[in-house]
Amino acid sequence: MLTLPRAIYDAIVAHARRDHPDEACGVVAGPAGSDRPVRFIPMLNAARSPTFYEFDSMDLLKLYRELDDRDEEPVVIYHSHTATEAYPSRTDISYAQEPGAHYVLVSTRDEETVEFRSFRIVDGVVTEEPVEIAASADLADEATR
């Protein structure tokens, strides 16, 4: 299950809507080994495409150096689909290289509704998981247990 603070959920959806009709992409980082998404990092879709996303290689290098410096890892890797359902494409599956990450897809094909889904992608196998949206205070309480 992916548990996501409301503020980060809203930021991902807003990013996806803002970049439409191009796909949006980004990362939510968290402390290494925690599986706790805490830091929203919108990225530029270097492909600037409505059907494909690609992190800029220099931005990606900078991101991973920053994650190492902060002892963080990518907990969520997200992108949007602008004309299809929120489900990983064959390309998405082939590019999924972080077995511990939650792969979130947001579909912006409908202006009125939000399709927001999360998947685990390991060795080409896609498994959907539930998404729980929590108030930030809920996560703070959980972090102190």
Side-chain angles (χ1 to χ4, degrees), residues 1-91:
M1 174 189 295
L2 170 63
T3 302
L4 203 57
R6 167 64 64 188
I8 292 176
Y9 169 88
D10 289 345
I12 291 171
V13 172
H15 183 203
R17 294 271 187 223
R18 186 175 57 249
D19 281 12
H20 186 94
D22 290 338
E23 290 192 5
C25 57
V27 169
V28 182
S34 71
D35 196 40
R36 195 163 51 91
V38 296
R39 191 164 64 94
F40 173 72
I41 307 166
M43 303 284 286
L44 177 68
N45 178 357
R48 298 182 191 263
S49 166
T51 60
F52 182 72
Y53 83 97
E54 177 178 40
F55 293 120
D56 177 84
S57 59
M58 292 308 293
D59 287 350
L60 198 56
L61 178 63
K62 180 180 170 191
L63 171 67
Y64 273 87
R65 285 183 175 159
E66 186 180 302
L67 293 175
D68 281 346
D69 290 346
R70 297 171 64 117
D71 197 25
E72 292 178 332
E73 63 188 5
V75 177
V76 172
I77 298 170
Y78 73 89
H79 75 280
S80 62
H81 283 179
T82 60
T84 60
E85 71 174 315
Y87 190 86
S89 68
R90 284 188 296 183
T91 302

Side-chain angles (χ1 to χ4, degrees), residues 66-134:
E66 186 180 302
L67 293 175
D68 281 346
D69 290 346
R70 297 171 64 117
D71 197 25
E72 292 178 332
E73 63 188 5
V75 177
V76 172
I77 298 170
Y78 73 89
H79 75 280
S80 62
H81 283 179
T82 60
T84 60
E85 71 174 315
Y87 190 86
S89 68
R90 284 188 296 183
T91 302
D92 297 335
I93 296 166
S94 70
Y95 285 0
Q97 300 296 315
E98 293 284 348
H102 302 266
Y103 286 89
V104 165
L105 280 105
V106 178
S107 176
T108 57
R109 65 181 170 173
D110 184 278
E111 291 180 22
E112 304 298 320
T113 61
V114 174
E115 282 182 65
F116 190 105
R117 298 167 72 185
S118 182
F119 304 87
R120 295 290 192 160
I121 304 175
V122 179
D123 296 331
V125 177
V126 177
T127 306
E128 186 166 7
E129 62 184 351
V131 177
E132 179 180 278
I133 308 303

